Amino acid sequence: MNSKKEINLHFPIQLDGKKINKLTMRRPTVRDRLLAAKDEGASPDEVEVKMFAILMDIPEENLHDMDLLDYEQCARAVNDFLKKPGSQSGT
């Protein structure tokens, strides 16, 4: 069972003034979901962005300008983590 996934970005993002081509996402926990949903009145999309930021240990703001193709790779990575072991696909 993989505890981390590397996400190769088609469109690099800026992080601390550097161009980033690859992000690493770790497996989500219940605590991560609770932290992401903590902001009262946040939309499901805002909660998802916060969750991805937590899992990749980057500021949310860095995800706001991420290309949607790369964002969808992040969503697939989370979905893969939620599958039974042995049925995960490569990202």
Side-chain angles (χ1 to χ4, degrees):
M1 176 168 31
N2 291 337
S3 62
K4 293 185 179 180
K5 284 190 174 284
E6 284 195 352
I7 300 165
N8 293 310
L9 303 177
H10 298 283
F11 302 93
I13 62 170
Q14 291 287 321
L15 184 59
D16 296 329
K18 297 178 185 173
K19 211 178 242 192
I20 303 297
N21 295 307
K22 186 189 311 184
L23 294 168
T24 301
M25 180 181 281
R26 64 172 174 77
R27 289 187 62 79
T29 65
V30 173
R31 182 182 317 276
D32 297 324
R33 180 174 275 180
L34 292 172
L35 279 170
K38 199 170 189 168
D39 293 336
E40 192 172 318
S43 72
D45 288 337
E46 291 168 324
V47 171
E48 183 178 75
V49 168
K50 187 169 189 168
M51 175 89 147
F52 293 175
I54 290 168
L55 297 177
M56 294 186 286
D57 195 27
I58 63 172
E60 282 177 67
E61 295 75 30
N62 290 95
L63 294 178
H64 292 171
D65 292 323
M66 178 182 271
D67 189 88
L68 198 51
L69 176 64
D70 291 326
Y71 185 84
E72 288 299 321
Q73 287 191 101
C74 296
R76 280 192 301 275
V78 169
N79 288 332
D80 279 353
F81 281 132
L82 301 179
K83 293 178 182 177
K84 291 181 184 178
S87 64
Q88 295 180 354
S89 67
T91 300

